[in-house]
Amino acid sequence: MSFSPIRLGFAAALALGAPAIAAAQSSVTIVREVDSNNYDPQKSTARAASEVLFMMGDTLVGLDPDMKTVVPMLAESWDMSDDGLTYTFHLKDGVSFCDGKKMTAEDVVYTFDRWLDPATKSPVAWRAGEVESVTAPDPLTVVYQLKAPHSELLYQLTQSFATIIDKANVEALGPDFGVTGFNGTGPFCWKEWTPRNTMTLTKHEGYTWGPPIYDTPDAQVDEITWQIVPEENTRTVAVLTGQSEITQYVPYIAMSQLRAAPNVNVEQSDAAFWTYFIGFKVDKPTVADPVVREAINLAVNQAAIAEDLYFGEVQPAYSYVSEGALDWNHAIDDELPKYDPEKAIAILEADGWKLNSDGVREKDGVTLQPLAYVFAGSTWSKLAEAVQADLLKVGIDMQIQSFDATIAWGKLATQEFDMFGMSFPYVSSGDALNLYFRSTNIPSPNRMNWNDSETDTLLRAGLTATDDADRAEAYGEVLKKVHEAYVWLPLYHEPMTIASSTKLKPVVPHNLYGCGLYKGIGIAYAD
Amino acid sequence: MIGQIANRLLLSIPVLFGVLLLGFMLLQLVPGDPAVVLAGPAAPPEVLDAIRKDMGLDQPVLVQFWHYLSRVAGGDMGRSLISNKTVLSELGGAIVPTVELMVGCLFWSIPLGIGMGTLAAVKRGSIIDRLVMALSVGGVSLPIFFICLLAIQFFGVYWPIFPFIGRGGPFWTYDGFMHLVLPAVSLGLIFIGPVARMTRSSVLEVLKLDHVRTARAKGLSERSVILRHGLRNALIPVVTLVGLQAGYLLGGAIVTETIFSWPGIGRLAVGAILSSDFPVAQGTILVLALSFIVINLIVDVLYALLDPRVQG
C-alpha cells in the first residue's frame, strides 16, 4: 500500500484548515493493539493492564524516565535499615481515592497482604521479596519488614503490580474487581470499560501527589480513551489524521512517514529495556549441545533482521539485557557472539554434526530439527521465519509452531519444545536474571530448565546485597555464565517510540514495563 | 401466511439444535483448556482440577452438552472467561452496532443495486449496461479488506471527511452517523455487484414474458411497464439472493468490523475465539446462526408478498 497520497492529503487538510474530525480540547484518544483480560493489578501481567493501571492508581514510589532514579509518589520519603531488612515509608498526607475516601497506611497494608496472600494466586508475588510483614504503626507510616534483603525492592514497588488498592472496593466488587470498576488514587479515574473496545478514564479532581518527574502534579486533560484498534495501518492513519492524539503502537514501517508528517511528533527513547530473544531448553537432545547453541548464535544475522524486518528502527541484540541496563557486565562486551556463519559451520563439523542427504545435520542418530514454540501474530511469525532461514544455511532445520497468546502461555510451561520465542520488559539486569535463571522458576518462566546451583547462589547474593558494588559483581558473574553457555539467542532490543499530535506538548517516553505514557500526566495540549 | 411463518419457526428448531451442537463440538476440538484460560498459566494442577470440577469439565462430553443445552434454554449463556461479564451482556452490547452496520449497509446498497441492474437491463448492450456490469464484477471480485483500506485511504486520509475508528454513538447523532458511513459503504460495495447482476438477468427474463407484452399492448408507458409489471416479478429471485448473501455479509462484517474497530458481533466473535473465551465464542456463533434464521424468515415473508402464488 502506497503512502505517498497521505502527505498530499495532509497538505490538503492543512490548507482547508483543521481536519473535519477535531476532538474537544480536553480529551485524548490513545490507540493500542490489544486489551487486557482484567484490570486487577495483582492478577494481570499484561502490559495492556499495566499501562492503564499506572494512570488509574499510584504506587508508593515512582521511577524517573532514566530507569534508575526512584522518586516519591504516595510516599514522600523512605528509609532503609543498615541490614537492608526494614523499609519505612512515610506517606503523604491528604491523598484520597477516586471515590473521595482518604487513603491511609491501612490501605497500603491491605494491598500488600492481598498481593502476598496465596489465595490471590498472584503470578507476580515474587517481585515483593521474602516478606516477613507489612504493618502500619500510624496512618502515615508503613513498615515493610523483609526476611532477607531485597535490593530490587524499590524498583519492584514502582511496578503497576504494587498499585495501592481500596479494600472496600475489592470486597464490594468481588470477582468483578478490575472488570466493572476500580477505585484507585491515580491521576485518572475509571469511567467505563467495554472489553476489547474502549477504556475510558476521567481526570481525578483534587489529585496533587503526582511524582516530581512531570511539570505539573496533576493530569492536564479531562478524559482519556484507550481505543483498541487491531489493524496496524489503521492505527497509523489514525494518528496522521488526528483521530488519535497519541500512541506507542505504530508499526516500524510507518516511522519514517510519521517523522515526515508535519502534524506528528515522534519521540524515541533507547533505554526501553524490552528485549526479544529465543531461549533453548538446555536438556533437549538437539540443543543440549552447547556447540549447537553457539552455532545458532553465530548463524543468525541480527543486524540484517533489524534492517530488513524493522527498517532499522530496532537495535540488534547480542546481549540478554540492554547494555545500558543497571548492572550490565561490560567486561563481556567483546565476548558476545556476532554473525559468523562460516565459523558456525566449522564448529558444527568439528563437533561431529554432519550434513545428511536432506541438507540437515545429524549426529548419533539425532537430526538437528529443533522445535520452536512462538506466539502467533505478525511479529513472531516474521521473526521466527527469518531465524529459520538463517539457520537452514548452516544445516539446522528449525521447526516453528505458533500459538495464540491465550494458549501460548500454557504451552510454554510444558516440556514439549526445544526452543521458544519470548520478549520481556525489565528495569535492570537483576530483574531479568532473577525472573529467568532461578532453578525454582522451572518450568516457567525458567523455560530453559537452567538448573545451576552456582547461578542460584549468585542470584541470591545479588538480590540480598545491600551494597551496589556487591550486587553488580554478583549479577555480572551470572551474566557472564549464561552468555558463555549460550542459553539464549538474543534478537533485538525494542526502543520506546511515541507518536503524538503536534497539538500536544511533546512527551518524554517512559520505559517502565514498556508503558510509554506512564502516569499520563505528561499528556497535555500545547497552549 | 401465519401458518407458514409458524411452520418455518418449527423447522428452525432442529437447525438451532444443530448449531448448538456444532458450536459446542467445535470448541471441544480447538486447542486450549477453559480451566487454564480461567486460572492463568501459572496455576498449579490441583487448582486446575478444582476449576475443571467446578465447570463440569470432568464429566463425559454428552453430559456436558446436555448441561449446556439446559443452561441455554434457561437463558443462561454463562460468563466470559476473560472479562467475567455475563455473555448476554457482552452480546447485548455488540448486537446493536452490528445491526446498525447491517441496516446502514443494506439501506443504500439494495436499492442502488436493483436500480443499477434494472437500468442495465433496460439499456441492454449500451455503454451504461457495460459500465454497470464492469462495476458489478469489480465489486464481487475485490476482497472486502481491500475495499475497506481504500475507503480509509481516500475518505479518511486523502480527504479526511469521515472518521474510521470505532463507533461514535447511535446513528442518529452526527458523530454516530459520521462513524457509520465508511464501514457501511465499504460493506455495501461488495453487495451491489451480485444484486445488480441478478436484477439485470432477472429483469431481462421477465421483459420477454407474455404479461409484459400485454401491458405494452394496452398502451401503458414504458416506465410503468418496467416498474409495475417487470420489476415486481423480477425481484423474486433477487430477494432470494439477498437472503443467501446475508450470510456472506456476516462474514464480510467480521473483516469490516475488525478494520474499522467497530464494536460488533463479528469482532467479538474473532476476539473470543482468539482468546479462547469459550462461552462468548459459543454465544456469538449462536447469534450469527439466529440472525441467519431470522433473515431467511424475512425472505420467506417478502416472497409471499411479492408472489401471490406462494401465499396459497
Side-chain angles (χ1 to χ4, degrees):
Chain A
M1 183 167 170
S2 151
F3 277 106
S4 53
I6 291 187
R7 275 173 223 153
L8 291 173
F10 257 100
L14 293 170
L16 293 169
I21 316 134
Q25 277 298 297
S26 61
S27 69
V28 162
T29 300
I30 308 169
V31 283
R32 57 174 175 164
E33 185 174 8
V34 290
D35 206 338
S36 173
N37 49 349
N38 66 57
Y39 289 90
D40 181 334
Q42 298 165 354
K43 288 191 180 169
S44 181
T45 55
R47 163 163 46 172
S50 294
E51 63 191 2
V52 175
L53 284 162
F54 280 132
M55 294 188 177
M56 293 194 300
D58 286 326
T59 45
L60 288 178
V61 286
L63 196 62
D64 189 273
D66 71 4
M67 295 295 281
K68 292 190 169 70
T69 317
V70 176
V71 296
M73 198 181 299
L74 291 177
E76 63 191 345
S77 65
W78 53 93
D79 1 270
M80 183 183 83
S81 62
D82 292 338
D83 59 5
L85 290 174
T86 314
Y87 286 76
T88 310
F89 294 95
H90 305 284
L91 304 184
K92 288 176 183 168
D93 198 1
V95 173
S96 55
F97 285 100
C98 278
D99 67 354
K101 201 184 93 174
K102 201 164 155 26
M103 189 212 77
T104 68
E106 288 302 328
D107 296 297
V108 179
V109 171
Y110 170 76
T111 298
F112 290 126
D113 285 350
R114 180 175 182 262
W115 190 14
L116 297 163
D117 183 354
T120 307
K121 297 199 288 268
S122 174
V124 286
W126 61 273
R127 290 175 181 271
E130 295 174 42
V131 181
E132 175 73 48
S133 68
V134 182
T135 49
D138 67 68
L140 293 178
T141 312
V142 174
V143 178
Y144 199 102
Q145 188 67 44
L146 290 156
K147 289 178 190 156
H150 182 32
S151 57
E152 303 263 324
L153 179 67
L154 290 174
Y155 290 115
Q156 297 297 0
L157 293 186
T158 65
Q159 302 272 22
S160 62
F161 317 116
T163 299
I164 304 304
I165 51 180
D166 168 25
K167 182 179 180 179
N169 181 238
V170 175
E171 284 172 357
L173 293 176
D176 284 342
F177 174 67
V179 174
T180 56
F182 177 87
N183 189 29
T185 65
F188 292 91
C189 296
W190 172 299
K191 184 182 173 190
E192 192 191 13
W193 180 39
T194 49
R196 307 183 193 96
N197 187 31
T198 56
M199 169 62 110
T200 321
L201 309 175
T202 49
K203 181 178 172 170
H204 184 175
E205 295 301 337
Y207 180 91
T208 55
W209 47 90
I213 56 174
Y214 294 108
D215 299 342
T216 53
D218 60 337
Q220 297 301 293
V221 289
D222 296 332
E223 192 165 272
I224 284 185
T225 305
W226 289 88
Q227 166 83 47
I228 308 286
V229 178
E231 233 286 313
E232 59 182 22
N233 293 320
T234 316
R235 288 199 298 275
T236 307
V237 286
V239 178
L240 283 166
T241 54
Q243 285 183 77
S244 165
E245 285 78 12
I246 188 164
T247 185
Q248 63 179 75
Y249 298 102
V250 277
Y252 296 110
I253 192 169
M255 288 298 175
S256 56
Q257 185 201 346
L258 286 165
R259 286 195 187 96
N263 63 329
V264 178
N265 282 327
V266 176
E267 301 288 335
Q268 196 154 19
S269 157
D270 283 328
F273 301 160
W274 191 296
T275 299
Y276 284 72
F277 69 93
I278 286 177
F280 305 108
K281 273 209 185 295
V282 294
D283 49 7
K284 286 282 187 168
T286 47
V287 291
D289 184 349
V291 175
V292 171
R293 300 200 299 264
E294 183 183 0
I296 291 176
N297 268 274
L298 293 166
V300 174
N301 187 349
Q302 287 99 333
I305 288 176
E307 200 52 50
D308 300 345
L309 293 183
Y310 302 103
F311 308 90
E313 298 284 349
V314 304
Q315 201 190 342
Y318 306 100
S319 57
Y320 300 177
V321 295
S322 168
E323 289 157 40
L326 184 72
D327 295 338
W328 166 251
N329 182 356
H330 283 286
I332 57 172
D333 279 354
D334 299 328
E335 296 169 24
L336 301 174
K338 296 279 188 348
Y339 179 56
D340 188 352
E342 286 77 21
K343 189 180 169 191
I345 292 170
I347 61 171
L348 284 169
E349 287 284 345
D351 194 40
W353 290 94
K354 301 293 179 199
L355 285 175
N356 65 12
S357 54
D358 303 333
V360 181
R361 294 190 182 274
E362 265 186 37
K363 181 185 175 182
D364 307 333
V366 177
T367 315
L368 206 38
Q369 287 181 312
L371 170 64
Y373 275 13
V374 297
F375 288 87
S378 58
T379 305
W380 273 105
S381 60
K382 281 187 280 197
L383 197 51
E385 283 159 14
V387 170
Q388 186 182 39
D390 275 348
L391 294 183
L392 208 50
K393 289 174 195 156
V394 301
I396 299 172
D397 184 19
M398 181 173 96
Q399 308 288 311
I400 303 171
Q401 274 213 22
S402 57
F403 298 96
D404 185 75
T406 45
I407 303 159
W409 293 104
K411 281 282 178 190
L412 287 169
T414 66
Q415 300 291 354
E416 300 163 0
F417 51 91
D418 306 315
M419 299 160 77
F420 65 96
M422 185 60 65
S423 73
F424 72 110
Y426 47 96
V427 288
S428 65
S429 302
D431 192 19
L433 297 172
N434 279 303
L435 181 63
Y436 287 112
F437 294 96
R438 268 201 243 187
S439 62
T440 47
N441 284 355
I442 294 173
S444 169
N446 181 348
R447 302 175 186 89
M448 297 79 65
N449 297 341
W450 178 255
N451 193 345
D452 177 69
S453 59
E454 201 189 337
T455 302
D456 289 348
T457 315
L458 285 167
L459 285 177
R460 191 163 166 78
L463 198 59
T464 58
T466 49
D467 175 75
D468 290 350
D470 293 351
R471 188 188 61 224
E473 192 187 351
Y475 286 150
E477 273 305 304
V478 180
L479 283 165
K480 187 169 162 37
K481 220 174 154 53
V482 295
H483 278 78
E484 280 172 356
Y486 304 105
V487 188
W488 288 1
L489 161 67
L491 294 165
Y492 65 90
H493 302 303
E494 189 170 55
M496 170 60 66
T497 313
I498 293 181
S500 62
S501 157
T502 45
K503 286 188 289 184
L504 297 181
K505 292 177 183 162
V507 292
V508 178
H510 207 287
N511 295 307
L512 187 52
Y513 210 69
C515 304
L517 300 170
Y518 196 35
K519 309 295 293 177
I521 294 176
I523 302 172
Y525 277 94
D527 306 320
Chain B
M1 187 80 191
I2 300 289
Q4 259 202 324
I5 294 176
N7 201 8
R8 291 291 311 194
L9 282 177
L10 272 178
L11 271 176
S12 55
I13 291 174
V15 174
L16 261 184
F17 179 81
V19 167
L20 283 166
L21 183 67
L22 203 68
F24 180 80
M25 286 301 167
L26 270 178
L27 293 172
Q28 290 283 327
L29 293 174
V30 292
D33 178 349
V36 174
V37 176
L38 200 62
E46 59 271 18
V47 172
L48 285 181
D49 286 341
I51 291 177
R52 281 203 188 94
K53 217 175 161 63
D54 205 34
M55 293 171 81
L57 295 171
D58 52 346
Q59 309 266 8
V61 172
L62 278 177
V63 177
Q64 285 189 49
F65 182 55
W66 174 248
H67 283 313
Y68 171 63
L69 278 187
S70 43
R71 278 202 310 272
V72 171
D76 171 22
M77 313 266 286
R79 277 173 174 267
S80 160
L81 300 181
I82 300 294
S83 70
N84 201 38
K85 290 192 168 183
T86 60
V87 173
L88 278 178
S89 73
E90 291 250 22
L91 292 175
I95 282 175
V96 174
T98 291
V99 169
E100 206 172 59
L101 181 58
M102 289 284 151
V103 173
C105 144
L106 297 176
F107 178 75
W108 72 275
S109 62
I110 292 181
L112 191 66
I114 292 175
M116 277 164 62
T118 314
L119 193 67
V122 174
K123 308 267 183 202
R124 192 171 151 196
S126 71
I127 187 85
I128 292 181
D129 181 18
R130 299 272 156 88
L131 204 66
V132 168
M133 288 328 288
L135 278 175
S136 304
V137 172
V140 175
S141 325
L142 284 177
I144 179 73
F145 69 87
F146 187 68
I147 292 178
C148 290
L149 289 176
L150 281 184
I152 289 178
Q153 175 80 349
F154 284 102
F155 300 103
V157 179
Y158 196 63
W159 301 291
I161 308 168
F162 299 108
F164 46 84
I165 290 186
R167 178 168 175 255
F171 69 93
W172 57 84
T173 61
Y174 171 77
D175 208 22
F177 179 78
M178 292 301 275
H179 275 87
L180 180 63
V181 172
L182 283 188
V185 166
S186 308
L187 194 55
L189 279 174
I190 58 167
F191 211 69
I192 288 182
V195 172
R197 287 176 59 190
M198 180 60 105
T199 310
R200 176 180 178 272
S201 57
S202 176
V203 168
L204 284 177
E205 285 295 313
V206 172
L207 288 185
K208 288 188 207 138
L209 296 176
D210 291 349
H211 76 272
V212 174
R213 209 171 39 195
T214 313
R216 284 210 175 105
K218 282 199 307 196
L220 291 174
S221 69
E222 187 65 11
R223 195 169 133 191
S224 113
V225 168
I226 290 167
L227 293 183
R228 293 179 95 184
H229 298 267
L231 201 54
R232 177 168 171 174
N233 293 310
L235 277 185
I236 296 170
V238 175
V239 167
T240 318
L241 174 91
V242 169
L244 287 174
Q245 282 278 328
Y248 185 57
L249 200 63
L250 290 172
I254 291 178
V255 177
T256 313
E257 284 179 3
T258 304
I259 292 186
F260 288 100
S261 313
W262 192 260
I265 292 280
R267 205 176 141 210
L268 185 69
V270 172
I273 291 168
L274 282 182
S275 57
S276 307
D277 194 343
F278 300 90
V280 175
Q282 281 168 334
T284 52
I285 291 170
L286 194 64
V287 167
L288 290 175
L290 269 176
S291 47
F292 223 103
I293 291 169
V294 168
I295 288 168
N296 276 309
L297 191 69
I298 294 171
V299 168
D300 287 343
V301 173
L302 281 177
Y303 229 83
L305 290 177
L306 285 168
D307 190 347
R309 285 169 307 181
V310 181
Q311 286 170 16

